[in-house]
Amino acid sequence: MSNTDQAPTAASARRTPPEPIPLSLLTGFLGAGKTTLLNRLLKDPALANTAVIINEFGEVGLDHLLVDYIDDNTVLLQSGCLCCTMRGDLVDALEKLLRDLDNGRAKFSRVLLETTGLADPAPVLHTAMVHPYLVKRFRLDGVITVVDAVNGDRTLNEHAEAVKQAAVADRIVLSKTDIATPTGTQALIDRLKALNPAAAILDAAQGEATADKLLNCGLYDPSRKIPDVGKWLAAEAYEASHVHGHDHHHGHHHHDINRHDEHIGSFVLRTDRTIPAGTLDMFFELLLATHGAQILRLKGIVKVAEHPEMPLVVHGVQHVLHPPARLPRWPDDDHTTRLVFITRDLPQRTVSDLFDAFIGIPKADQADRTALTDNPLVPFGGR
């Protein structure tokens, strides 16, 4: 047997990067019911082999769940969850978990991060997406946002951050429906569906907010060899919402214009054209440099000219783009480029005109790609 045919040694196996660990973010405004939901989830055997990071143990009634103290900041629960408290820096907490995992002191296959007191989910998402080590070891599974059925409408009216939490969620958990009025609950559900057409809304009081419905809501489904991009993108949900008059930027809502919802929009850009990788890079660079603060979330699958049969999956939060992932093949029969945007105060036309200019769709009233990229005043200095 030649050297090339030999079985891999233990040393070479160690050099193989481990499979990224799914990271779920549990968010929601103060008093929404995150702690109650978390307490229920911690008893669920489906969370076995999950590391749960919370801000303080004191906020979660762990007494009846405790099995063993590992150290001052970590406990092991009956369900098999490893539960640790984050005091200070999120990066430190995640790096410590990874060290414990690599050294055999802890065992877990996913992380659930509860963000009590942190109104804006973007900084946490940025941490997981741009930290040079963490981005290799973790992948974002999804954002779970808890909304209070009793006070949710008022919270959305008064706090722009609460609207942002709901807009970027992959799953919305509705709490306290058992003590809210049916009319008020339905109005809130309608509002949330207009704000975020793609997120499943789960009623906690009805027992719908279970681990199996909250986890694995990201791009990668462990039961599939190829990612379920269509389900993750949910492009049809955003397009259907426009058909039914939920385009926030074109005045189809008949609500108080001071409501924060009116600033949030969602739309999909599609094209059959293949896009050169350099063109795609320049489009994202210019878009995020000029409008990054207004892009709450961006998801997409792109047909790249250099590898048209191996699509590129992109995911961004505000001005940060996660390193794109190349799929070995298209996940279904739809081979079109689809980019889903959730934005704040950013009209669809601003983005679509820029996109059309880069992919070469001429328009009489706008600059083409050459004019944009040769301009020394553009953020990347012209090319």
Side-chain angles (χ1 to χ4, degrees):
M1 184 165 66
S2 70
N3 287 339
T4 55
D5 295 330
Q6 289 175 0
T9 63
S12 67
R14 277 198 302 271
R15 284 197 295 270
T16 304
E19 194 70 24
I21 300 163
L23 172 69
S24 299
L25 186 64
L26 176 62
T27 186
F29 221 69
L30 295 173
K34 291 188 301 297
T35 301
T36 304
L37 175 64
L38 186 60
N39 213 331
R40 190 181 305 149
L41 289 173
L42 289 175
K43 302 171 193 173
D44 193 328
L47 254 72
N49 288 332
T50 296
V52 182
I53 302 178
I54 58 178
N55 279 11
E56 287 296 337
F57 284 144
E59 296 180 12
V60 182
L62 291 174
D63 295 347
H64 60 296
L65 300 170
L66 285 186
V67 173
D68 189 25
Y69 269 96
I70 296 174
D71 58 41
D72 285 346
N73 292 336
T74 312
V75 295
L76 186 64
L77 304 181
Q78 188 89 48
S79 63
C81 289
L82 184 75
C83 200
C84 62
T85 181
M86 180 178 70
R87 291 174 182 162
D89 189 27
L90 172 61
V91 172
D92 289 345
L94 291 172
E95 287 183 336
K96 180 182 183 301
L97 273 179
L98 291 173
R99 282 196 302 273
D100 288 348
L101 178 68
D102 295 342
N103 295 332
R105 290 194 297 265
K107 182 184 176 186
F108 59 89
S109 56
R110 73 166 56 248
V111 173
L112 176 63
L113 171 62
E114 186 237 9
T115 61
T116 302
L118 193 70
D120 188 351
V124 177
L125 297 175
H126 290 172
T127 298
M129 291 168 74
V130 300
H131 189 280
Y133 180 57
L134 297 180
V135 76
K136 293 177 182 175
R137 296 297 304 271
F138 291 105
R139 61 172 174 80
L140 179 66
D141 180 55
V143 178
I144 303 160
T145 299
V146 184
V147 178
D148 172 353
V150 176
N151 302 304
D153 202 56
R154 189 174 77 239
T155 303
L156 292 171
N157 285 341
E158 295 176 358
H159 300 281
E161 299 301 347
V163 175
K164 187 186 290 187
Q165 288 174 354
V168 304
D170 297 286
R171 299 284 185 272
I172 295 175
V173 176
L174 210 54
S175 66
K176 307 180 189 176
T177 55
D178 51 333
I179 56 173
T181 65
T183 306
T185 299
Q186 188 56 54
L188 180 60
I189 289 172
D190 292 344
R191 184 173 182 179
L192 291 169
K193 283 182 176 176
L195 192 59
N196 186 338
I201 299 177
L202 304 168
D203 189 329
Q206 297 292 325
E208 295 175 357
T210 54
D212 63 313
K213 290 182 180 176
L214 294 175
L215 304 178
N216 299 325
C217 59
L219 175 62
Y220 291 92
D221 180 344
S223 66
R224 292 169 57 99
K225 290 184 178 178
I226 196 85
D228 191 347
V229 179
K231 183 178 174 184
W232 178 69
L233 276 182
E236 291 78 10
Y238 294 103
E239 289 168 331
S241 76
H242 281 234
V243 172
H244 294 101
H246 292 314
D247 184 345
H248 300 282
H249 291 302
H250 294 88
H252 297 317
H253 270 307
H254 302 291
H255 299 313
D256 174 3
I257 59 167
N258 295 316
R259 291 196 343 169
H260 296 293
D261 308 40
E262 305 305 320
H263 298 272
I264 305 294
S266 55
F267 52 86
V268 182
L269 302 184
R270 284 183 182 262
T271 181
D272 291 325
R273 298 187 179 206
T274 57
I275 304 174
T279 298
L280 187 69
D281 286 345
M282 285 191 288
F283 165 68
F284 282 134
E285 195 168 351
L286 181 55
L287 177 69
L288 298 181
T290 51
H291 303 295
Q294 296 159 282
I295 298 172
L296 302 184
R297 205 161 174 193
L298 151 68
K299 298 179 181 182
I301 185 168
V302 183
K303 182 190 282 189
V304 181
E306 291 80 354
H307 301 281
E309 296 307 313
M310 300 169 67
L312 212 59
V313 175
V314 295
H315 184 208
V317 175
Q318 293 185 332
H319 57 279
V320 173
L321 198 64
H322 189 278
R326 188 179 300 285
L327 302 184
R329 63 182 185 276
W330 287 88
D332 51 38
D333 293 335
D334 188 349
H335 292 196
T336 60
T337 290
R338 283 151 282 160
L339 296 175
V340 173
F341 290 87
I342 302 170
T343 63
R344 178 177 172 82
D345 292 329
L346 181 62
Q348 176 175 344
R349 184 173 176 184
T350 302
V351 181
S352 61
D353 282 356
L354 187 66
F355 185 63
D356 289 347
F358 270 91
I359 66 173
I361 297 177
K363 290 190 178 177
D365 59 345
Q366 71 177 48
D368 62 11
R369 184 179 57 149
T370 303
L372 288 168
T373 54
D374 286 347
N375 181 352
L377 301 178
V378 298
F380 45 76
R383 288 210 172 123

